Amino acid sequence: MRISLARARLELRHTFRIARSADEFRESVIVRLEENGIEGLGEAAPSPRYGQSAESAERALASIEGALLEPAGHIEDALERAAGRLAGEWAALAALDIALHDLLGKRLGVPLYALLGLDPGKTPPTSYTIGIDTPEIVAEKIREADGFPVLKVKMGLGNDREIMETVRAHTDRPVRIDANEGWTRDEALEKMRWLEGLNVEFVEQPLPAADLEGVRWLAERTSLPIFADESVRVASDVPRLAGTFHGINIKLMKCGGIREALRMIHTARACGMKVMLGCMIESSIGITAAAHLSPLADYADLDGNLLIRNDPAAGATTLNGKLVLPEGPGLGVTLREGPAANALERSSAR
Ligand code: MG
Protein backbone atom coordinates (compact mmCIF):
# COMPACT_ATOMS: atom_id res chain seq x y z
CA MET A 1 0.00 0.00 0.00
CA ARG A 2 1.23 3.46 -0.84
CA ILE A 3 0.77 6.38 1.58
CA SER A 4 0.99 10.02 0.58
CA LEU A 5 0.42 13.13 2.66
CA ALA A 6 -0.66 16.66 1.81
CA ARG A 7 -1.05 19.66 4.07
CA ALA A 8 -4.32 21.61 3.74
CA ARG A 9 -4.57 25.22 4.90
CA LEU A 10 -8.24 25.75 5.77
CA GLU A 11 -9.16 29.45 5.73
CA LEU A 12 -11.91 30.36 8.20
CA ARG A 13 -14.83 32.56 7.08
CA HIS A 14 -14.52 34.49 10.35
CA THR A 15 -11.87 34.50 13.06
CA PHE A 16 -12.86 31.45 15.11
CA ARG A 17 -12.73 32.53 18.76
CA ILE A 18 -13.50 30.21 21.67
CA ALA A 19 -12.65 30.42 25.37
CA ARG A 20 -9.01 29.33 24.87
CA SER A 21 -8.01 30.36 21.34
CA ALA A 22 -8.61 32.48 18.21
CA ASP A 23 -7.73 31.32 14.70
CA GLU A 24 -7.82 32.73 11.16
CA PHE A 25 -6.98 29.37 9.62
CA ARG A 26 -6.36 25.78 10.69
CA GLU A 27 -4.15 23.17 9.09
CA SER A 28 -5.12 19.59 8.33
CA VAL A 29 -3.02 16.74 7.00
CA ILE A 30 -4.75 14.84 4.19
CA VAL A 31 -3.79 11.17 3.89
CA ARG A 32 -4.14 9.13 0.72
CA LEU A 33 -3.79 5.36 0.87
CA GLU A 34 -3.53 3.70 -2.52
CA GLU A 35 -3.84 -0.01 -3.17
CA ASN A 36 -4.53 -1.76 -6.49
CA GLY A 37 -5.64 1.47 -8.11
CA ILE A 38 -8.14 2.33 -5.35
CA GLU A 39 -7.53 5.41 -3.21
CA GLY A 40 -8.73 5.90 0.36
CA LEU A 41 -8.86 9.45 1.72
CA GLY A 42 -8.40 10.46 5.33
CA GLU A 43 -7.83 13.66 7.30
CA ALA A 44 -6.02 14.61 10.48
CA ALA A 45 -7.25 17.89 11.99
CA PRO A 46 -4.85 18.15 14.95
CA SER A 47 -5.86 20.11 18.05
CA PRO A 48 -3.48 22.28 20.11
CA ARG A 49 -5.73 21.45 23.13
CA TYR A 50 -4.27 17.95 22.96
CA GLY A 51 -0.70 19.07 22.23
CA GLN A 52 -0.93 18.42 18.49
CA SER A 53 -0.07 20.45 15.40
CA ALA A 54 -0.02 19.86 11.65
CA GLU A 55 3.74 19.35 12.00
CA SER A 56 3.43 16.75 14.75
CA ALA A 57 0.64 14.90 12.92
CA GLU A 58 2.60 14.91 9.70
CA ARG A 59 5.73 13.69 11.45
CA ALA A 60 3.77 10.88 13.08
CA LEU A 61 2.15 9.86 9.80
CA ALA A 62 5.51 9.92 8.02
CA SER A 63 6.65 7.17 10.42
CA ILE A 64 4.01 4.77 9.06
CA GLU A 65 4.98 2.66 6.07
CA GLY A 66 2.25 1.21 3.85
CA ALA A 67 3.19 -2.40 4.74
CA LEU A 68 2.22 -1.74 8.37
CA LEU A 69 -1.41 -1.29 7.29
CA GLU A 70 -1.63 -4.46 5.19
CA PRO A 71 -3.84 -6.30 4.57
CA ALA A 72 -5.99 -3.20 4.19
CA GLY A 73 -9.26 -4.95 5.07
CA HIS A 74 -8.08 -5.95 8.57
CA ILE A 75 -8.71 -2.48 9.93
CA GLU A 76 -8.69 -3.33 13.66
CA ASP A 77 -5.27 -5.00 13.41
CA ALA A 78 -3.81 -2.31 11.14
CA LEU A 79 -4.89 0.46 13.51
CA GLU A 80 -3.62 -1.33 16.57
CA ARG A 81 -0.18 -1.54 14.98
CA ALA A 82 -0.35 2.09 13.83
CA ALA A 83 -1.54 3.36 17.24
CA GLY A 84 1.67 2.02 18.79
CA ARG A 85 3.69 4.29 16.51
CA LEU A 86 1.46 7.36 16.81
CA ALA A 87 1.53 7.81 20.57
CA GLY A 88 -0.67 10.76 21.44
CA GLU A 89 -1.29 11.78 17.82
CA TRP A 90 -4.95 10.80 17.78
CA ALA A 91 -5.84 13.01 14.83
CA ALA A 92 -3.16 11.21 12.79
CA LEU A 93 -4.63 7.88 13.87
CA ALA A 94 -8.08 9.12 12.83
CA ALA A 95 -6.72 9.99 9.38
CA LEU A 96 -5.52 6.40 8.87
CA ASP A 97 -8.77 4.97 10.28
CA ILE A 98 -10.88 7.12 7.95
CA ALA A 99 -8.74 6.32 4.89
CA LEU A 100 -8.86 2.56 5.62
CA HIS A 101 -12.67 2.69 5.88
CA ASP A 102 -12.87 4.67 2.63
CA LEU A 103 -10.64 2.12 0.93
CA LEU A 104 -12.71 -0.83 2.22
CA GLY A 105 -16.01 0.76 1.16
CA LYS A 106 -14.64 1.49 -2.31
CA ARG A 107 -13.30 -2.04 -2.68
CA LEU A 108 -16.70 -3.49 -1.73
CA GLY A 109 -18.60 -0.82 -3.70
CA VAL A 110 -20.75 0.35 -0.77
CA PRO A 111 -21.08 3.64 1.09
CA LEU A 112 -19.62 3.73 4.61
CA TYR A 113 -23.06 4.02 6.25
CA ALA A 114 -24.08 0.76 4.51
CA LEU A 115 -20.84 -0.91 5.64
CA LEU A 116 -21.85 0.08 9.19
CA GLY A 117 -25.42 -1.15 8.70
CA LEU A 118 -26.98 2.28 9.21
CA ASP A 119 -30.04 4.00 7.74
CA PRO A 120 -28.95 7.19 5.95
CA GLY A 121 -32.44 8.63 6.52
CA LYS A 122 -31.76 8.76 10.27
CA THR A 123 -29.09 11.46 10.21
CA PRO A 124 -29.80 14.26 12.72
CA PRO A 125 -29.66 17.96 11.89
CA THR A 126 -26.32 19.59 12.59
CA SER A 127 -26.02 22.70 14.69
CA TYR A 128 -24.20 25.73 13.26
CA THR A 129 -21.51 27.24 15.48
CA ILE A 130 -21.36 30.89 16.48
CA GLY A 131 -17.88 31.68 17.84
CA ILE A 132 -17.24 34.40 20.43
CA ASP A 133 -17.44 37.80 18.76
CA THR A 134 -18.80 41.34 18.71
CA PRO A 135 -22.59 41.80 18.48
CA GLU A 136 -22.23 42.89 14.82
CA ILE A 137 -20.32 39.76 13.79
CA VAL A 138 -22.56 37.51 15.90
CA ALA A 139 -25.56 38.94 14.04
CA GLU A 140 -23.83 38.26 10.70
CA LYS A 141 -23.10 34.67 11.72
CA ILE A 142 -26.74 34.16 12.71
CA ARG A 143 -27.71 35.26 9.19
CA GLU A 144 -25.23 32.73 7.75
CA ALA A 145 -26.82 30.06 9.96
CA ASP A 146 -30.20 30.69 8.34
CA GLY A 147 -31.79 27.31 7.59
CA PHE A 148 -30.03 25.51 10.44
CA PRO A 149 -32.59 24.57 13.10
CA VAL A 150 -30.16 24.70 16.05
CA LEU A 151 -27.28 27.04 16.90
CA LYS A 152 -24.22 26.21 18.98
CA VAL A 153 -23.04 29.31 20.82
CA LYS A 154 -19.51 29.53 22.22
CA MET A 155 -19.05 31.24 25.59
CA GLY A 156 -16.44 31.69 28.29
CA LEU A 157 -14.71 35.03 27.62
CA GLY A 158 -16.69 37.48 29.74
CA ASN A 159 -19.15 38.79 27.12
CA ASP A 160 -21.55 35.83 27.45
CA ARG A 161 -24.60 37.94 28.25
CA GLU A 162 -23.97 40.31 25.36
CA ILE A 163 -23.63 37.37 22.95
CA MET A 164 -26.78 35.63 24.17
CA GLU A 165 -28.77 38.87 24.08
CA THR A 166 -27.64 39.39 20.47
CA VAL A 167 -28.63 35.82 19.57
CA ARG A 168 -32.05 36.21 21.15
CA ALA A 169 -32.58 39.59 19.47
CA HIS A 170 -32.28 37.82 16.09
CA THR A 171 -33.68 34.32 16.56
CA ASP A 172 -35.75 32.15 18.90
CA ARG A 173 -34.20 28.91 17.59
CA PRO A 174 -32.94 26.46 20.23
CA VAL A 175 -29.34 26.99 21.27
CA ARG A 176 -26.61 24.70 22.62
CA ILE A 177 -23.96 26.42 24.72
CA ASP A 178 -20.26 25.44 24.74
CA ALA A 179 -18.06 27.10 27.38
CA ASN A 180 -14.92 25.11 26.42
CA GLU A 181 -13.83 24.81 30.10
CA GLY A 182 -14.04 28.61 30.43
CA TRP A 183 -16.12 29.04 33.61
CA THR A 184 -15.50 28.70 37.33
CA ARG A 185 -18.07 26.76 39.39
CA ASP A 186 -19.84 29.86 40.71
CA GLU A 187 -19.82 31.54 37.31
CA ALA A 188 -21.20 28.39 35.66
CA LEU A 189 -24.02 28.14 38.21
CA GLU A 190 -25.00 31.78 37.73
CA LYS A 191 -24.84 31.56 33.90
CA MET A 192 -26.68 28.24 33.68
CA ARG A 193 -29.53 29.44 35.91
CA TRP A 194 -29.86 32.47 33.65
CA LEU A 195 -29.72 30.28 30.52
CA GLU A 196 -32.48 27.96 31.81
CA GLY A 197 -35.14 30.37 30.59
CA LEU A 198 -33.62 31.03 27.17
CA ASN A 199 -34.51 27.91 25.14
CA VAL A 200 -31.14 26.24 25.67
CA GLU A 201 -30.96 22.47 24.99
CA PHE A 202 -27.80 21.75 26.99
CA VAL A 203 -24.44 23.13 28.09
CA GLU A 204 -21.17 21.59 26.94
CA GLN A 205 -18.07 21.50 29.14
CA PRO A 206 -18.81 24.36 31.55
CA LEU A 207 -15.80 23.55 33.78
CA PRO A 208 -12.17 22.43 33.31
CA ALA A 209 -11.90 18.82 32.10
CA ALA A 210 -10.74 17.34 35.42
CA ASP A 211 -13.41 18.99 37.61
CA LEU A 212 -15.98 16.16 37.72
CA GLU A 213 -16.88 17.04 41.30
CA GLY A 214 -17.78 20.54 40.07
CA VAL A 215 -20.06 19.12 37.39
CA ARG A 216 -21.86 16.97 40.00
CA TRP A 217 -22.28 20.11 42.13
CA LEU A 218 -23.69 22.02 39.14
CA ALA A 219 -26.04 19.21 38.07
CA GLU A 220 -27.63 19.22 41.54
CA ARG A 221 -28.34 22.92 41.24
CA THR A 222 -29.40 23.46 37.61
CA SER A 223 -31.89 21.81 35.28
CA LEU A 224 -29.90 22.10 32.03
CA PRO A 225 -28.31 18.85 30.82
CA ILE A 226 -24.48 18.95 30.83
CA PHE A 227 -22.36 17.34 28.10
CA ALA A 228 -18.70 16.36 28.33
CA ASP A 229 -16.29 17.28 25.56
CA GLU A 230 -12.79 17.95 26.93
CA SER A 231 -13.58 15.60 29.87
CA VAL A 232 -13.94 12.60 27.55
CA ARG A 233 -11.58 11.32 24.88
CA VAL A 234 -12.05 7.58 24.41
CA ALA A 235 -14.48 4.80 25.42
CA SER A 236 -12.59 3.93 28.61
CA ASP A 237 -13.23 7.49 29.88
CA VAL A 238 -17.01 7.13 29.59
CA PRO A 239 -18.11 4.92 32.55
CA ARG A 240 -16.66 7.23 35.23
CA LEU A 241 -18.65 10.15 33.73
CA ALA A 242 -21.99 8.31 33.99
CA GLY A 243 -24.26 9.86 36.59
CA THR A 244 -22.31 13.13 36.35
CA PHE A 245 -22.64 14.25 32.73
CA HIS A 246 -25.86 13.62 30.79
CA GLY A 247 -24.08 13.01 27.51
CA ILE A 248 -20.76 13.05 25.67
CA ASN A 249 -19.37 14.81 22.62
CA ILE A 250 -17.50 12.30 20.43
CA LYS A 251 -15.02 13.59 17.85
CA LEU A 252 -13.09 11.39 15.44
CA MET A 253 -10.02 13.63 15.78
CA LYS A 254 -10.07 13.34 19.56
CA CYS A 255 -10.69 9.59 19.89
CA GLY A 256 -8.66 8.29 16.91
CA GLY A 257 -11.34 7.55 14.32
CA ILE A 258 -14.45 5.59 13.42
CA ARG A 259 -13.55 2.39 15.31
CA GLU A 260 -13.05 4.15 18.65
CA ALA A 261 -16.07 6.41 18.05
CA LEU A 262 -18.25 3.28 17.67
CA ARG A 263 -16.86 1.91 20.95
CA MET A 264 -17.65 5.26 22.63
CA ILE A 265 -21.21 5.31 21.29
CA HIS A 266 -21.95 1.82 22.58
CA THR A 267 -20.28 2.49 25.94
CA ALA A 268 -22.28 5.70 26.38
CA ARG A 269 -25.50 3.86 25.55
CA ALA A 270 -24.67 1.13 28.05
CA CYS A 271 -24.18 3.88 30.65
CA GLY A 272 -27.52 5.51 29.79
CA MET A 273 -25.92 8.63 28.30
CA LYS A 274 -26.78 10.78 25.29
CA VAL A 275 -24.44 10.95 22.31
CA MET A 276 -23.37 13.96 20.29
CA LEU A 277 -21.01 13.77 17.31
CA GLY A 278 -18.78 16.83 17.09
CA CYS A 279 -15.80 17.97 15.07
CA MET A 280 -12.78 20.25 14.86
CA ILE A 281 -12.31 22.76 12.04
CA GLU A 282 -12.05 20.13 9.29
CA SER A 283 -12.54 19.73 5.58
CA SER A 284 -15.40 17.67 4.16
CA ILE A 285 -13.22 14.55 4.42
CA GLY A 286 -13.29 14.38 8.24
CA ILE A 287 -16.81 15.79 8.48
CA THR A 288 -18.22 13.24 6.03
CA ALA A 289 -16.60 10.36 7.93
CA ALA A 290 -18.35 11.49 11.13
CA ALA A 291 -21.60 12.14 9.25
CA HIS A 292 -21.73 8.46 8.20
CA LEU A 293 -21.88 7.57 11.94
CA SER A 294 -24.49 10.20 12.72
CA PRO A 295 -27.58 7.94 12.41
CA LEU A 296 -26.34 6.53 15.76
CA ALA A 297 -26.21 9.94 17.46
CA ASP A 298 -28.83 12.00 19.29
CA TYR A 299 -27.18 15.26 18.27
CA ALA A 300 -24.71 16.37 15.60
CA ASP A 301 -22.38 19.35 15.59
CA LEU A 302 -20.70 18.62 12.26
CA ASP A 303 -20.23 22.07 10.77
CA GLY A 304 -16.41 22.41 10.66
CA ASN A 305 -16.46 22.32 6.85
CA LEU A 306 -19.14 25.03 6.73
CA LEU A 307 -16.95 27.43 8.71
CA ILE A 308 -14.15 27.41 6.11
CA ARG A 309 -14.19 29.07 2.72
CA ASN A 310 -11.79 26.85 0.75
CA ASP A 311 -12.95 23.32 1.49
CA PRO A 312 -10.69 21.14 -0.69
CA ALA A 313 -13.25 18.31 -0.71
CA ALA A 314 -16.97 17.69 -1.25
CA GLY A 315 -18.98 15.03 0.58
CA ALA A 316 -21.81 15.20 3.11
CA THR A 317 -24.10 18.20 2.67
CA THR A 318 -27.04 19.63 4.61
CA LEU A 319 -30.67 20.16 3.64
CA ASN A 320 -32.50 22.49 6.01
CA GLY A 321 -29.74 21.66 8.49
CA LYS A 322 -30.22 17.88 8.27
CA LEU A 323 -27.09 15.95 7.27
CA VAL A 324 -27.30 14.35 3.81
CA LEU A 325 -24.89 11.46 3.19
CA PRO A 326 -23.28 11.00 -0.23
CA GLU A 327 -24.18 7.84 -2.14
CA GLY A 328 -20.73 7.03 -3.55
CA PRO A 329 -18.74 4.05 -2.21
CA GLY A 330 -16.63 4.51 0.93
CA LEU A 331 -16.84 8.07 2.24
CA GLY A 332 -18.31 9.25 -1.06
CA VAL A 333 -15.93 12.22 -0.92
CA THR A 334 -14.28 13.82 -3.94
CA LEU A 335 -11.42 16.32 -3.99
CA ARG A 336 -12.43 19.59 -5.60
CA GLU A 337 -10.78 21.06 -8.66
CA GLY A 338 -10.06 24.76 -9.10
CA PRO A 339 -9.15 27.33 -6.44
CA ALA A 340 -10.11 25.14 -3.46
CA ALA A 341 -7.55 22.58 -4.64
CA ASN A 342 -4.90 25.19 -3.77
CA ALA A 343 -5.66 24.47 -0.12
CA LEU A 344 -3.86 21.18 -0.68
CA GLU A 345 -0.13 21.20 -0.78
CA ARG A 346 1.54 17.91 -1.58
CA SER A 347 4.16 17.41 1.11
CA SER A 348 5.41 13.88 0.67
CA ALA A 349 4.80 10.63 -1.11
CA ARG A 350 6.24 7.38 0.07
MG1 MG B 1 -16.87 21.52 22.69
Side-chain angles (χ1 to χ4, degrees):
M1 193 185 316
R2 185 182 145 87
I3 302 183
S4 57
L5 309 176
R7 193 85 73 88
R9 183 186 159 101
L10 308 175
E11 311 273 355
L12 286 148
R13 290 183 191 278
H14 299 279
T15 302
F16 189 68
R17 191 171 288 108
I18 64 171
R20 63 172 162 265
S21 59
D23 294 295
E24 306 290 335
F25 69 93
R26 294 296 289 267
E27 282 191 301
S28 280
V29 181
I30 308 299
V31 174
R32 291 178 169 101
L33 300 181
E34 194 261 310
E35 191 181 58
N36 301 326
I38 302 177
E39 186 179 73
L41 284 173
E43 175 176 12
S47 168
R49 168 65 176 75
Y50 300 101
Q52 304 160 6
S53 63
E55 290 73 22
S56 69
E58 203 167 56
R59 213 167 31 242
L61 286 164
S63 75
I64 304 291
E65 4 10 271
L68 191 80
L69 305 175
E70 293 169 2
H74 296 183
I75 296 181
E76 284 285 345
D77 297 339
L79 291 175
E80 200 176 309
R81 286 190 296 272
R85 298 266 189 96
L86 297 175
E89 293 290 333
W90 306 302
L93 184 62
L96 295 177
D97 168 290
I98 294 167
L100 286 167
H101 282 87
D102 190 28
L103 203 57
L104 182 61
K106 284 172 176 163
R107 206 173 70 205
L108 299 175
V110 293
L112 180 53
Y113 68 76
L115 204 61
L116 298 169
L118 302 177
D119 176 356
K122 288 193 173 163
T123 56
T126 177
S127 50
Y128 190 95
T129 303
I130 311 284
I132 300 171
D133 232 306
T134 62
E136 293 72 30
I137 305 281
V138 167
E140 196 180 321
K141 289 177 181 175
I142 292 168
R143 279 192 293 278
E144 288 173 4
D146 199 27
F148 289 84
V150 189
L151 301 177
K152 174 161 170 171
V153 175
K154 294 285 194 179
M155 289 193 176
L157 276 190
N159 59 342
D160 299 341
R161 280 178 190 270
E162 181 186 70
I163 287 177
M164 198 60 188
E165 279 160 12
T166 308
V167 170
R168 283 290 167 250
H170 289 86
T171 176
D172 56 5
R173 274 174 282 175
V175 160
R176 300 168 188 165
I177 301 293
D178 188 358
N180 286 108
E181 314 179 87
W183 291 335
T184 63
R185 290 186 188 186
D186 289 338
E187 204 180 355
L189 180 59
E190 184 216 320
K191 300 262 167 81
M192 287 173 68
R193 283 188 170 156
W194 160 67
L195 289 166
E196 280 171 6
L198 292 172
N199 194 15
V200 169
E201 288 188 326
F202 54 79
V203 173
E204 195 179 316
Q205 201 68 47
L207 302 176
D211 192 7
L212 300 191
E213 190 50 49
V215 175
R216 275 190 283 275
W217 180 85
L218 270 180
E220 283 168 8
R221 289 163 179 79
T222 61
S223 61
L224 287 176
I226 307 175
F227 275 58
D229 181 357
E230 287 85 345
S231 290
V232 63
R233 194 182 69 76
V234 288
S236 56
D237 296 329
V238 176
R240 70 191 169 88
L241 305 183
T244 300
F245 286 96
H246 299 85
I248 59 168
N249 185 353
I250 298 170
K251 298 174 179 171
L252 300 187
M253 298 302 155
K254 188 172 65 168
C255 72
I258 293 160
R259 311 301 288 186
E260 186 62 23
L262 282 168
R263 284 190 280 270
M264 292 180 81
I265 291 169
H266 296 309
T267 307
R269 294 303 183 201
C271 293
M273 298 170 86
K274 295 282 189 189
V275 167
M276 167 164 48
L277 273 173
C279 62
M280 306 296 181
I281 300 296
E282 303 169 22
S283 81
S284 280
I285 300 171
I287 295 296
T288 303
H292 279 281
L293 282 174
S294 72
L296 289 171
D298 302 297
Y299 306 102
D301 177 36
L302 295 176
D303 63 346
N305 57 337
L306 305 175
L307 305 179
I308 56 178
R309 55 177 171 210
N310 62 338
D311 191 345
T317 53
T318 59
L319 183 64
N320 299 323
K322 183 180 159 69
L323 290 161
V324 179
L325 301 179
E327 284 298 323
L331 294 177
V333 161
T334 51
L335 292 177
R336 291 181 200 269
E337 307 283 330
N342 296 336
L344 280 182
E345 184 186 307
R346 181 68 62 124
S347 50
S348 64
R350 42 207 305 279

